[in-house]
Amino acid sequence: MWEDSGEPAGLKPVFEIGKAMLSEKPDPKEFADAISRAWLDKEAAAVLKPVVAKLIKAGLKHQVTAEIQEQVSESVYVMF
């Protein structure tokens, strides 16, 4: 179901990246909290936060070791 989210008075909190996401060794629970904090459906955020934290923990455990040298297609930018 679509829901009109409206636009907040200040856009900085929407686009600002939280400290938990910028840490070199992030805590999965804090990272998940930072991701889900702005979700409109707070009940869904509360239910999914542990799942998101587990995914982040798995991603940190199995990090990509090779450099990815792929170019981003110009058509991707057109979408935005």
Side-chain angles (χ1 to χ4, degrees), residues 52-68:
V52 173
K54 286 181 182 179
L55 290 170
I56 292 166
K57 185 176 182 179
L60 291 170
K61 184 177 178 181
H62 304 287
Q63 293 185 25
V64 175
T65 56
E67 286 290 322
I68 299 173

Side-chain angles (χ1 to χ4, degrees), residues 8-64:
L11 294 176
K12 185 177 178 181
V14 174
F15 294 100
E16 194 170 56
I17 298 173
K19 291 180 183 178
M21 293 190 278
L22 295 174
S23 173
E24 285 189 34
K25 293 187 178 191
D27 176 80
K29 289 180 182 178
E30 290 178 12
F31 201 111
D33 184 54
I35 289 174
S36 62
R37 187 174 295 129
W39 292 1
L40 295 177
D41 190 333
K42 300 303 179 191
E43 184 178 340
V47 170
L48 293 172
K49 199 181 309 183
V51 176
V52 173
K54 286 181 182 179
L55 290 170
I56 292 166
K57 185 176 182 179
L60 291 170
K61 184 177 178 181
H62 304 287
Q63 293 185 25
V64 175

